[in-house]
Amino acid sequence: MVSCYLIATGACLPMANASIFRAEHRMAPDLSPDRSISRGGASSSRRRDLVFVVNPRGANGRTGKEWKKLLPFLQSRLGTDCNICESLTSGPFHAIDITREAIREGADAVISVGGDGTLHEVVNGFFWDGKPVANQNREAAHSTALGLIPLGTGSDFARTFGWKNDPCEAIERIATGLRSRIDVGVINREGEQPHYYINVADIHLSAKAGYYASKYKRFGNLCYVIGALQAFMGHHNQDLRIKVDEGEWETFPKVTALCIGNAKYFGGGMKITPNADPRSRDFEVVILQDFKWYDFILKLNKLYSGTHLSVNNVTARR
């Protein structure tokens, strides 16, 4: 049996096996102007330094091709007021290093160009050794913001805000310079560095499904359904003991998947944690129990529409 301890204080997050999930840091990205808005704290006469972190292999190579087409528009729209730096990733975890260096050099924003995988690495680049990365220019009046141009296969984080895979719309959002605070989750495991996430973290079958889906990106969003069906092969549901905040330990038998959402979507548009809000300082925890492969197929429409919380073997917590 696996035990999972989830604490939500100022943000939210989770992870696999025997882990402690606690929420701490909050960060400021370029988001919709819903609350806690500012214009970056910089003088309007100063040119903003924007670092675009591009995964050219994202979406089976489509991200790199779309980025090349986008560059002329980006330069015409932002080049007058901003210094634009293009950084192409060369492999796994490279986006983390690029982001940390950009923050230390005082960038106004680090903008992830690609899918949720690239965004995940960029988010982790905002932290080092359990603390936010600091700007080495102590006289700087601004903090580095997180931005996003969704060009990936799923681009699930963007869906929570109603953003489409439209790079021109994303550039218009960035051009406004508006900032809004959002939550970020931290995962702690004994003997390891903290790990951060911004969208949905999941345990057991859905985590395996994400691994298999990466092998079928050429099929677009269908890769997540194929990955889930492959994950069911040889899968065994498992009893989990779960503690949320300061509540009592609860045992959930035959758990198929445990999903902890800071945002709403994963798996190419599945609205798995439909009530999650990355500015609420809470997680939504959804537990799927005793699912078989045919249950997944029969309830696929409910998973995508976010109406699965009414199903008997689905439990939700905040």
Side-chain angles (χ1 to χ4, degrees), residues 89-129:
T89 61
S90 59
F93 312 119
H94 190 197
I96 298 176
D97 296 332
I98 293 172
T99 301
R100 287 176 180 157
E101 183 64 22
I103 294 170
R104 289 169 180 147
E105 293 295 323
D108 289 88
V110 178
I111 297 155
S112 173
V113 181
D116 293 303
T118 304
L119 177 63
H120 181 73
E121 287 196 12
V122 169
V123 167
N124 276 270
F126 273 77
F127 302 90
W128 171 255
D129 198 25

Side-chain angles (χ1 to χ4, degrees), residues 201-209 232 235-238 240 242 252-260 266 272 285-291 303 313-315:
D202 47 315
I203 294 171
H204 215 20
L205 182 123
S206 51
K208 291 191 289 184
F232 269 107
H235 172 78
H236 300 284
N237 295 324
Q238 186 169 3
L240 291 183
I242 301 172
F252 292 84
K254 298 182 179 180
V255 171
T256 306
L258 169 66
C259 305
I260 305 95
F266 77 168
I272 190 66
V285 181
V286 171
I287 305 161
L288 309 181
Q289 293 174 266
D290 200 22
F291 266 57
L303 290 169
N313 52 345
V314 177
T315 304

Side-chain angles (χ1 to χ4, degrees), residues 113-256:
V113 181
D116 293 303
T118 304
L119 177 63
H120 181 73
E121 287 196 12
V122 169
V123 167
N124 276 270
F126 273 77
F127 302 90
W128 171 255
D129 198 25
K131 299 177 182 178
V133 175
N135 182 342
Q136 293 179 344
N137 181 6
R138 296 184 178 181
E139 297 180 358
H142 66 275
S143 61
T144 302
L146 169 69
L148 173 63
I149 297 180
L151 279 178
T153 302
S155 294
D156 283 311
F157 181 71
R159 295 175 193 268
T160 292
F161 299 95
W163 297 344
K164 302 175 182 177
N165 265 20
D166 186 329
C168 294
E169 282 187 10
I171 289 171
E172 291 299 330
R173 286 193 298 269
I174 294 166
T176 66
L178 292 176
R179 297 181 174 201
S180 175
R181 288 193 176 274
I182 60 169
D183 302 330
V184 61
V186 55
I187 303 162
N188 287 308
R189 300 183 71 185
E190 187 174 353
E192 297 183 12
Q193 288 290 320
H195 192 81
Y196 300 89
Y197 87 99
I198 201 174
N199 192 38
V200 179
D202 47 315
I203 294 171
H204 215 20
L205 182 123
S206 51
K208 291 191 289 184
Y211 168 77
Y212 289 126
S214 65
K215 302 177 183 297
Y216 302 105
K217 288 294 182 72
R218 63 187 180 278
F219 296 111
N221 282 339
L222 188 61
C223 71
Y224 298 103
V225 176
I226 298 172
L229 291 174
Q230 184 172 352
F232 269 107
M233 297 175 61
H235 172 78
H236 300 284
N237 295 324
Q238 186 169 3
D239 296 349
L240 291 183
R241 292 177 68 241
I242 301 172
K243 183 177 181 180
V244 179
D245 292 334
E246 300 305 322
E248 299 295 324
W249 284 100
E250 296 181 76
T251 299
F252 292 84
K254 298 182 179 180
V255 171
T256 306

